[in-house]
Amino acid sequence: GASPDPVPGGGVKQRDLTTRPTRPPRTMAAAKDGELLVLILSNGMPFSDVAAVIESLKNSSKGIGTHSRRELYWQAYTKLAAKTSGMDGQAHCFLLYKTSADGEGV
């Protein structure tokens, strides 16, 4: 951290942080209606467990914002769970679901 400014004759001058210009907080750009990106990382979890986790995420999405936003999550988790539920072995992968005004994909 920065050290306080020295004051002639000894002592320390305190910096007044209230007078410094501040930047607005960094925020993610607000998603437009109909846009969603879901990224899930698995490093060796069995596919059956991955599907169960996705179903759990789907159930927990019931409390998300607006009805239309919840529907986007519900659709994403439904499609991701469907893709992973029939797979065998260990999942060492990224699962990506993206929907936008142009379309959707898993």
Side-chain angles (χ1 to χ4, degrees), residues 51-93:
V53 168
I54 293 170
E55 284 296 328
S56 173
L57 290 169
K58 180 179 169 180
N59 289 331
S60 68
S61 70
K62 292 177 183 176
I64 293 175
T66 65
H67 177 71
S68 60
R69 199 78 188 145
R70 285 189 299 271
E71 282 183 328
L72 289 175
Y73 278 95
W74 191 265
Q75 291 167 0
Y77 292 137
T78 298
K79 290 187 179 189
L80 288 168
K83 287 282 186 183
T84 58
S85 65
M87 299 177 129
D88 295 324
Q90 307 293 311
H92 295 276
C93 61

Side-chain angles (χ1 to χ4, degrees), residues 34-49:
E35 291 185 342
L36 177 68
L37 175 71
V38 176
L39 176 65
I40 298 173
L41 167 65
S42 174
N43 190 17
M45 182 182 284
F47 276 106
S48 58
D49 291 349

Side-chain angles (χ1 to χ4, degrees), residues 4-49:
D5 296 327
V7 176
V12 175
K13 175 182 173 187
Q14 297 295 322
R15 291 185 178 171
D16 183 4
L17 299 178
T18 60
T19 61
R20 288 186 182 192
T22 58
R23 291 184 292 188
R26 293 182 186 188
T27 59
M28 297 174 81
K32 296 176 186 170
D33 287 337
E35 291 185 342
L36 177 68
L37 175 71
V38 176
L39 176 65
I40 298 173
L41 167 65
S42 174
N43 190 17
M45 182 182 284
F47 276 106
S48 58
D49 291 349

